[in-house]
PDB file of all heavy atoms in Angstrom:
ATOM      1  N   MET A   1      -7.128  36.015   1.342  1.00  0.00           N
ATOM      2  CA  MET A   1      -7.758  35.327   2.437  1.00  0.00           C
ATOM      3  C   MET A   1      -6.678  34.731   3.324  1.00  0.00           C
ATOM      4  O   MET A   1      -5.798  34.027   2.849  1.00  0.00           O
ATOM      5  CB  MET A   1      -8.676  34.238   1.870  1.00  0.00           C
ATOM      6  CG  MET A   1      -9.320  33.383   2.916  1.00  0.00           C
ATOM      7  SD  MET A   1     -10.492  32.260   2.133  1.00  0.00           S
ATOM      8  CE  MET A   1     -11.588  32.041   3.470  1.00  0.00           C
ATOM      9  N   GLY A   2      -6.737  34.986   4.596  1.00  0.00           N
ATOM     10  CA  GLY A   2      -5.762  34.476   5.543  1.00  0.00           C
ATOM     11  C   GLY A   2      -6.101  33.075   6.017  1.00  0.00           C
ATOM     12  O   GLY A   2      -7.178  32.536   5.727  1.00  0.00           O
ATOM     13  N   LEU A   3      -5.216  32.506   6.753  1.00  0.00           N
ATOM     14  CA  LEU A   3      -5.352  31.138   7.218  1.00  0.00           C
ATOM     15  C   LEU A   3      -6.616  30.927   8.064  1.00  0.00           C
ATOM     16  O   LEU A   3      -7.296  29.926   7.933  1.00  0.00           O
ATOM     17  CB  LEU A   3      -4.108  30.768   8.031  1.00  0.00           C
ATOM     18  CG  LEU A   3      -4.069  29.371   8.612  1.00  0.00           C
ATOM     19  CD1 LEU A   3      -4.117  28.342   7.492  1.00  0.00           C
ATOM     20  CD2 LEU A   3      -2.819  29.162   9.440  1.00  0.00           C
ATOM     21  N   PHE A   4      -6.982  31.900   8.885  1.00  0.00           N
ATOM     22  CA  PHE A   4      -8.124  31.734   9.781  1.00  0.00           C
ATOM     23  C   PHE A   4      -9.355  32.511   9.339  1.00  0.00           C
ATOM     24  O   PHE A   4     -10.316  32.610  10.075  1.00  0.00           O
ATOM     25  CB  PHE A   4      -7.729  32.136  11.206  1.00  0.00           C
ATOM     26  CG  PHE A   4      -6.683  31.236  11.782  1.00  0.00           C
ATOM     27  CD1 PHE A   4      -5.379  31.659  11.914  1.00  0.00           C
ATOM     28  CD2 PHE A   4      -6.998  29.943  12.177  1.00  0.00           C
ATOM     29  CE1 PHE A   4      -4.411  30.831  12.442  1.00  0.00           C
ATOM     30  CE2 PHE A   4      -6.037  29.106  12.696  1.00  0.00           C
ATOM     31  CZ  PHE A   4      -4.738  29.547  12.831  1.00  0.00           C
ATOM     32  N   ASP A   5      -9.357  33.032   8.112  1.00  0.00           N
ATOM     33  CA  ASP A   5     -10.493  33.809   7.641  1.00  0.00           C
ATOM     34  C   ASP A   5     -11.779  32.980   7.582  1.00  0.00           C
ATOM     35  O   ASP A   5     -12.867  33.507   7.727  1.00  0.00           O
ATOM     36  CB  ASP A   5     -10.221  34.410   6.258  1.00  0.00           C
ATOM     37  CG  ASP A   5      -9.260  35.580   6.338  1.00  0.00           C
ATOM     38  OD1 ASP A   5      -9.032  36.097   7.459  1.00  0.00           O
ATOM     39  OD2 ASP A   5      -8.742  35.978   5.289  1.00  0.00           O
ATOM     40  N   PHE A   6     -11.680  31.676   7.388  1.00  0.00           N
ATOM     41  CA  PHE A   6     -12.888  30.868   7.306  1.00  0.00           C
ATOM     42  C   PHE A   6     -13.585  30.768   8.660  1.00  0.00           C
ATOM     43  O   PHE A   6     -14.747  30.384   8.733  1.00  0.00           O
ATOM     44  CB  PHE A   6     -12.588  29.471   6.743  1.00  0.00           C
ATOM     45  CG  PHE A   6     -11.845  28.570   7.674  1.00  0.00           C
ATOM     46  CD1 PHE A   6     -12.524  27.729   8.537  1.00  0.00           C
ATOM     47  CD2 PHE A   6     -10.466  28.549   7.675  1.00  0.00           C
ATOM     48  CE1 PHE A   6     -11.831  26.886   9.375  1.00  0.00           C
ATOM     49  CE2 PHE A   6      -9.778  27.708   8.511  1.00  0.00           C
ATOM     50  CZ  PHE A   6     -10.453  26.873   9.376  1.00  0.00           C
ATOM     51  N   LEU A   7     -12.905  31.162   9.748  1.00  0.00           N
ATOM     52  CA  LEU A   7     -13.513  31.127  11.065  1.00  0.00           C
ATOM     53  C   LEU A   7     -14.331  32.381  11.358  1.00  0.00           C
ATOM     54  O   LEU A   7     -15.066  32.423  12.342  1.00  0.00           O
ATOM     55  CB  LEU A   7     -12.437  30.975  12.142  1.00  0.00           C
ATOM     56  CG  LEU A   7     -11.676  29.642  12.134  1.00  0.00           C
ATOM     57  CD1 LEU A   7     -10.578  29.673  13.183  1.00  0.00           C
ATOM     58  CD2 LEU A   7     -12.608  28.476  12.353  1.00  0.00           C
ATOM     59  N   GLN A  13     -18.611  31.352   3.889  1.00  0.00           N
ATOM     60  CA  GLN A  13     -17.351  30.666   3.664  1.00  0.00           C
ATOM     61  C   GLN A  13     -17.258  29.425   4.553  1.00  0.00           C
ATOM     62  O   GLN A  13     -17.589  29.463   5.729  1.00  0.00           O
ATOM     63  CB  GLN A  13     -16.176  31.590   3.955  1.00  0.00           C
ATOM     64  CG  GLN A  13     -16.108  32.751   3.003  1.00  0.00           C
ATOM     65  CD  GLN A  13     -14.961  33.682   3.333  1.00  0.00           C
ATOM     66  OE1 GLN A  13     -14.386  33.596   4.408  1.00  0.00           O
ATOM     67  NE2 GLN A  13     -14.651  34.574   2.420  1.00  0.00           N
TER      68      GLN A  13
END
Side-chain angles (χ1 to χ4, degrees):
M1 176 174 207
L3 180 61
F4 295 106
D5 286 345
F6 72 91
L7 294 176
Q13 295 178 346

